[in-house]
Amino acid sequence: MMKQQTLKGCRILELSTTLATSYAAELLRQQGAYVEKVSVKQPFFCDSQKVLTSSVQTGSEWDIVLTEDRKWRAACFPQAVTIFINFQSFQTGDERELQVKAGWLKESEQESSPSIAIGGFPASILVAAHIAFVSVCQLLEGQRGATVVVHVASILASALHGRLFTKEEQEIVPMILTPAVDGPLFIGAPSDEQWAFLTRWAQVDLPTCTTQLERRLQKSTIEASLSKWSSSQLRQELMTLGQTFRLPFASVQSHQEVIQCPQHKSRGFIEQQRIIRSPWIMSKGLAANQSFSFTSFKALQIVDMTAMWAGPYCTRLFADLGATVIKIEAPHRPDGIRGKSGSTPFFEELNRNKKSVVLDLNVEADKEVLLHLIEDSHIVVNNFSPRVMVNFGLTDDVLQLHNASIIHASLSAFGQTGPFRDYVGYGSTLESMGGIVAQTVDHTGTPTLPLFSISDMLAGVIGAFSIALALYEQTTTYAAYMIDVSQYEVATLVAWVPYEPTSDASGVNTMNNCDDNIIEETLSSWHEQKERAPYFGEHTAFYKSHYSKEKRDTL
């Protein structure tokens, strides 16, 4: 495991009052950057290892300036890249307001009860990860004296695309929290084959529910039957058995259970009740004979072996910056986000600006085509279970044999190592295991699933951030890099924030229930103002257009 010193020597000035910007600076500090913060109020928990000052040193040679104040423009810091985080449509920028105005709240089952917000600080961390990613991208491009605008409202709105897709395709049944003897359990069976197995195992007598449409029509009956079945059994036993049969079951873990989780212990993610590293492990291969010189994102080529949400979002961030991204799909197993029609707005959003190739990697000729693509590429990204790349014969050694300076990033559910490495899961599985669901409670204190899978999108941008770091380090080491992103660790990070120690005696409180009307809604004006700087977080490829006037092939 590499010591995180990728950004050693990088100097960052932080001018912020929000957790989102402060956490972005902390993500960069964890990678070795020097961070100096101008503190105008009590600092956040994540400011404890920064240098806190009370004045702005405009004459210093900063590499990155993070600011939420429009008065600090590029002219104030001509040697730095100024990243302006636009909270224009928000009044305070705190977690409560971000979730309310972004439309993230889930309606309570009782009309008189307050809506339910996602537990932890997911909105702040999502924005922070985007800020950190674009900061490293600017370091790579070396555009000193430039200003980049990060639109918070647009990033948060983008997270709802998964929810809109779910509505369009209709919800998956079953995907529920059920009671067990010792607490709640998440049960999912998204495919018809998984449902058929579950009915035999749980002895659910619903022989007519062989398709999703039929299961939706009998949703209440199915949920009642599964709840009755699980209520007499132990969570851990059901989860272990379910995962043995490749069902995405998960125990809804409390904070203390997350601390004791053998997967985190095995991977060294949590130690002495503290998260001790970023939610990925980066390993360095042998230095390549040829030197690597990053010129621009347009010069990058990425082989995208991902599907669904997290992986495609990761690679799309690079596609929007101008990189050539080649998406690989199997003829017998296309990306599930395509839906029955072959394409959905959500699929097009996640895969815009990409090219597409259909390859059956069980066929030797098709695998040769893939290896030729890898020879000419810089990055390979997959979000398979760890066993899949091995079964295809595409181990790290094989990839490096064909490309000595390849960056190979894996965004798997639980990571490449540990006792849970072969477990399957998607957003709800990981949010249940990571502690998010335990903090997302209704007015009675009962855990509930979030409105949408926030861990998917966050895992995507965290993956992009780690790849950008590898690119930055590769410019001096010329080595290959292997990146192991654990989506379970990403979900744990979201739920962990309220438990981190803070210099403020009052601490950081978990926010669960949320009154929709506590903040007066105002019309967003971020589309009305014309900024002379690239935008980051737009729904369209507007940000990319500032880097390249070319219209890339769109999937």
Side-chain angles (χ1 to χ4, degrees):
M1 185 191 309
M2 290 177 55
K3 187 177 181 181
Q4 302 295 330
Q5 290 295 309
T6 301
L7 300 181
K8 186 176 182 180
C10 177
R11 293 174 57 83
I12 296 174
L13 175 64
E14 179 194 334
L15 304 167
S16 74
T17 59
T18 67
L19 176 60
T21 306
S22 291
Y23 202 78
E26 173 63 11
L27 288 171
L28 297 169
R29 187 207 63 77
Q30 290 172 5
Q31 312 309 313
Y34 169 84
V35 178
E36 189 168 314
K37 176 173 182 172
V38 178
S39 182
V40 296
K41 66 175 186 178
Q42 286 187 316
F44 295 103
F45 72 91
C46 56
D47 296 333
S48 60
Q49 297 189 56
K50 301 173 185 174
V51 176
L52 302 181
T53 63
S54 57
S55 61
V56 179
Q57 299 180 34
T58 56
S60 299
E61 292 191 2
W62 304 105
D63 295 294
I64 295 287
V65 176
L66 303 178
T67 179
E68 301 150 4
D69 192 334
R70 288 183 179 275
K71 72 180 180 182
W72 302 112
R73 312 304 286 178
C76 302
F77 306 98
Q79 300 302 314
V81 174
T82 301
I83 297 180
F84 170 52
I85 300 93
N86 189 352
F87 284 90
Q88 186 173 346
S89 58
F90 301 92
Q91 297 170 10
T92 64
D94 63 20
E95 180 69 23
R96 177 185 291 264
E97 183 191 22
L98 294 180
Q99 291 202 36
V100 168
K101 285 196 171 182
W104 284 20
L105 304 191
K106 183 176 182 178
E107 294 301 318
S108 175
E109 292 184 2
Q110 297 184 14
E111 293 185 5
S112 60
S113 300
S115 298
I116 304 166
I118 302 174
F121 284 72
S124 297
I125 296 177
L126 180 65
V127 173
H130 280 85
I131 297 168
F133 169 68
V134 76
S135 296
V136 178
C137 289
Q138 293 303 306
L139 289 174
L140 278 165
E141 293 206 314
Q143 296 182 356
R144 296 301 183 107
T147 296
V148 177
V149 180
V150 176
H151 272 294
V152 174
S154 188
I155 290 172
L156 297 179
S158 295
L160 288 175
H161 286 188
R163 175 61 177 172
L164 297 175
F165 168 76
T166 302
K167 284 185 175 181
E168 178 182 303
E169 293 293 304
Q170 299 301 318
E171 61 186 329
I172 295 173
V173 177
M175 185 184 288
I176 57 168
L177 298 179
T178 63
V181 170
D182 54 344
L185 172 83
F186 171 73
I187 289 181
S191 72
D192 294 341
E193 294 79 8
Q194 288 173 320
W195 167 250
F197 176 83
L198 181 57
T199 56
R200 293 193 299 271
W201 178 21
Q203 297 182 344
V204 177
D205 187 20
L206 292 168
T208 60
C209 295
T210 56
T211 67
Q212 271 294 338
L213 177 59
E214 292 170 334
R215 292 195 287 279
R216 290 179 200 127
L217 295 175
Q218 298 198 48
K219 178 183 176 181
S220 59
T221 302
I222 289 173
E223 292 184 352
S225 299
L226 290 175
S227 295
K228 182 179 180 181
W229 168 66
S230 65
S231 61
S232 61
Q233 303 183 63
L234 297 173
R235 284 180 304 160
Q236 193 64 35
E237 290 182 0
L238 280 178
M239 184 189 83
T240 303
L241 283 170
Q243 287 287 348
T244 300
F245 298 113
R246 311 295 292 168
L247 294 172
F249 283 19
S251 175
V252 176
Q253 295 195 127
S254 66
H255 176 66
Q256 195 60 37
E257 288 172 326
V258 173
I259 292 174
Q260 300 300 326
C261 181
Q263 180 68 6
H264 285 329
K265 287 188 173 183
S266 172
R267 289 172 57 85
F269 186 60
I270 296 176
E271 187 176 281
Q272 296 180 345
Q273 301 194 12
R274 286 185 62 86
I275 289 178
I276 63 171
R277 62 167 173 80
S278 303
W280 71 82
I281 296 173
M282 187 185 297
S283 305
K284 183 168 66 173
L286 297 176
N289 293 327
Q290 70 273 20
S291 62
F292 173 80
S293 179
F294 179 90
T295 54
S296 73
F297 286 100
K298 290 191 293 182
L300 286 180
Q301 181 165 295
I302 300 173
V303 174
D304 179 358
M305 303 175 69
T306 70
M308 303 305 283
W309 192 352
Y313 186 74
C314 169
T315 55
R316 198 216 62 200
L317 290 172
F318 290 102
D320 283 353
L321 290 170
T324 298
V325 178
I326 304 172
K327 184 179 179 70
I328 310 296
E329 290 180 273
H332 55 282
R333 191 175 182 180
D335 192 333
I337 294 294
R338 282 185 178 273
K340 293 180 179 179
S341 64
S343 184
T344 62
F346 188 35
F347 174 82
E348 294 171 2
E349 169 73 9
L350 290 174
N351 294 285
R352 69 188 184 208
N353 299 319
K354 299 180 185 179
K355 298 180 179 180
S356 180
V357 176
V358 176
L359 295 174
D360 185 348
L361 298 183
N362 293 308
V363 176
E364 196 61 32
D366 282 14
K367 190 159 72 172
E368 286 297 320
V369 172
L370 175 68
L371 290 173
H372 283 308
L373 286 173
I374 290 172
E375 288 173 359
D376 297 330
S377 299
H378 304 88
I379 301 163
V380 176
V381 186
N382 82 81
N383 61 347
F384 299 131
S385 298
R387 61 188 179 85
V388 175
M389 291 294 279
V390 174
N391 291 343
F392 283 141
L394 299 172
T395 62
D396 287 325
D397 290 341
V398 171
L399 297 184
Q400 290 177 52
L401 182 64
H402 286 79
N403 187 330
S405 59
I406 197 71
I407 295 172
H408 179 208
S410 298
L411 282 66
S412 59
F414 290 89
Q416 300 294 302
T417 61
F420 295 173
R421 69 184 292 272
D422 291 320
Y423 280 10
V424 296
Y426 44 84
S428 297
T429 309
L430 305 167
E431 287 153 5
S432 297
M433 291 285 291
I436 296 176
V437 170
Q439 294 185 56
T440 307
V441 299
D442 62 18
H443 67 288
T444 66
T446 303
T448 185
L449 295 173
L451 179 67
F452 61 95
S453 177
I454 182 59
S455 65
D456 270 307
M457 188 177 184
L458 184 56
V461 70
I462 287 289
F465 177 46
S466 65
I467 292 169
L469 289 168
L471 280 169
Y472 186 76
E473 184 151 325
Q474 196 177 57
T475 58
T476 56
T477 64
Y478 315 134
Y481 286 87
M482 291 69 70
I483 301 171
D484 173 13
V485 178
S486 165
Q487 295 188 43
Y488 175 36
E489 292 172 3
V490 172
T492 300
L493 178 66
V494 171
W496 198 269
V497 170
Y499 296 99
E500 287 278 12
T502 170
S503 57
D504 182 357
S506 64
V508 182
N509 297 319
T510 306
M511 181 271 297
N512 297 313
N513 294 327
C514 194
D515 184 351
D516 300 10
N517 301 314
I518 58 169
I519 297 169
E520 181 181 356
E521 288 288 351
T522 58
L523 290 175
S524 172
S525 59
W526 36 271
H527 278 303
E528 299 172 6
Q529 183 152 355
K530 303 298 183 183
E531 296 283 352
R532 293 187 176 183
Y535 284 59
F536 187 79
E538 286 289 341
H539 292 293
T540 66
F542 184 64
Y543 179 64
K544 185 188 83 69
S545 68
H546 287 269
Y547 288 84
S548 170
K549 294 182 180 179
E550 306 167 8
K551 181 172 177 59
R552 304 200 59 80
D553 293 337
T554 303
L555 187 66

